[in-house]
Amino acid sequence: SDTLDVVIRVGLTGGIGAGKSTVAKTFIERGAYHVDADKIAREVVEPGTPGLAQLVEAFGPEILDEAGALDRPSLAARAFADDDSRKLLNSITHPLIGARTQELTDAAPTGSIILHDVPLLVEGHMAPFYHLVAVVHTDADVRLDRLVNLRGMDVDDARSRIAAQATDEQRRAVADLWLENSGAPEALAAQAVAAWDERLIPFRDNVASGTAAPMPTDVVSYDPEWAALGQRVVNRIWALVGGNASAVVHEGPTSVVGQAAAPVVDIAVTVSDFSVADSLAEALAKGGFPLVSSTHDERLHASADPGRHVRVHVRA
């Protein structure tokens, strides 16, 4: 409905050297509204900013170069010396990055697909705050080869950077969209185009019109991925309903290990009474789960995402 100020937020991540920029470029060419975490991190500590002044106060004037700009290697040498220094650095930069990200997100026109390009999305536990998380995956040895031979990075430096990031398993656990980048950049771009046309655009349009995506009804054999998907959706729903629910759990056929079922994840949300259930309708709809029916014992919402089949049963 027109009353929903609709945008959908897509979080894009992947290990260093995985090929995120190819996907970002493909989405941006198709009209995605780009919010670049790395760029924001640089902006908030440019010369003349309060951010840079705070860093100098915390770590000393030695972190500046001759021109008065931030000398990153020099800051890194001090900030990563120990846990306390790293926490101090984060306590200065994270709030500034968060505020600027919010500002840019708020400025996106209605109907936008906001692409939030975040290298450390998994490490920062940010996945539940997106309508959809896209992960670009490339095997670590291929990434190492790219970093060393294409970007000219020192091999030990490249190895330690890869090791410091989330594992493939951790990324897979949050991925709604898994883009495989083991071949040519064109093949990755083609996957991104297909995801844009077949998934992101319909998802955005469904959220805008308050429409649930069609649900599959055919029973299929048990898929071990259902448990991970259930957990991901539970986390997403918690992010949307906040402290208004007393429980959010994966229930129904897909929650039973080994059981064949139609591939639909059922989520039960328990609230104190139906006035609370009704007050959550807009947040759930904007978050990608429009209301599909109201009965005396539950409010049923369902996923607007054509690639993720979910029913949300809100009960008092």
Side-chain angles (χ1 to χ4, degrees):
S1 72
D2 302 332
T3 54
L4 286 183
D5 173 22
V6 169
V7 293
I8 72 166
R9 299 178 61 213
V10 176
L12 173 66
T13 195
I16 185 168
K20 288 189 300 297
S21 53
T22 300
V23 175
K25 185 171 167 288
T26 307
F27 286 168
I28 292 159
E29 282 167 357
R30 274 153 189 75
Y33 176 94
H34 192 211
V35 178
D36 182 343
D38 276 344
K39 189 173 167 216
I40 292 168
R42 290 193 295 275
E43 277 177 10
V44 298
V45 292
E46 275 171 2
T49 57
L52 186 59
Q54 285 175 272
L55 288 179
V56 169
E57 192 180 319
F59 295 103
E62 303 82 17
I63 64 168
L64 299 176
D65 62 18
E66 289 81 43
L70 182 62
D71 177 353
R72 287 182 178 278
S74 164
L75 171 64
R78 289 169 174 74
F80 295 110
D82 56 64
D83 264 1
D84 288 344
S85 304
R86 189 175 49 81
K87 284 181 182 147
L88 178 59
L89 171 67
N90 291 343
S91 73
I92 295 168
T93 57
H94 286 183
L96 296 168
I97 293 168
R100 180 70 182 134
T101 301
Q102 194 57 52
E103 214 171 274
L104 289 168
T105 302
D106 291 344
T110 292
S112 297
I113 294 175
I114 298 173
L115 177 66
H116 192 194
D117 191 342
V118 201
L120 301 179
L121 183 149
V122 179
E123 294 83 345
H125 307 292
M126 296 155 73
F129 302 98
Y130 295 98
H131 288 78
L132 181 142
V133 171
V135 173
V136 185
H137 173 258
T138 308
D139 288 335
D141 51 351
V142 179
R143 293 195 279 131
L144 182 65
D145 185 61
R146 283 179 192 165
L147 294 173
V148 174
N149 296 320
L150 299 179
R151 292 199 201 173
M153 222 183 242
D154 170 74
V155 68
D156 291 332
D157 183 30
R159 270 208 185 93
S160 67
R161 288 196 188 205
I162 288 173
Q165 292 188 334
T167 63
D168 290 344
E169 288 69 36
Q170 288 169 317
R171 288 199 189 94
R172 203 177 270 283
V174 303
D176 297 301
L177 188 56
W178 185 261
L179 300 163
E180 193 60 60
N181 183 22
S182 43
E186 303 76 47
L188 178 61
Q191 290 177 67
V193 170
W196 181 266
D197 293 343
E198 296 161 21
R199 186 150 181 199
L200 299 182
I201 293 289
F203 190 2
R204 190 266 322 265
D205 294 348
N206 284 344
V207 172
S209 63
T211 308
M215 294 284 161
T217 51
D218 289 348
V219 170
V220 297
S221 55
Y222 177 75
D223 183 344
E225 287 295 305
W226 290 343
L229 173 58
Q231 188 54 55
R232 208 154 68 229
V233 179
V234 164
N235 294 345
R236 173 71 180 143
I237 300 292
W238 273 123
L240 292 170
V241 304
N244 293 298
S246 57
V248 179
V249 294
H250 179 191
E251 61 164 31
T254 56
S255 70
V256 182
V257 176
Q259 184 172 314
V264 178
V265 167
D266 287 287
I267 303 291
V269 178
T270 309
V271 296
S272 53
D273 58 60
F274 281 114
S275 66
V276 176
D278 295 334
S279 75
L280 295 175
E282 188 179 341
L284 285 167
K286 278 186 178 180
F289 302 95
L291 181 68
V292 290
S293 72
S294 277
T295 63
H296 70 282
D297 57 357
E298 73 170 23
R299 303 292 182 263
L300 181 65
H301 293 253
S303 178
D305 176 357
R308 184 165 83 167
H309 307 298
V310 179
R311 286 184 295 243
V312 181
H313 308 263
V314 187
R315 304 182 186 121

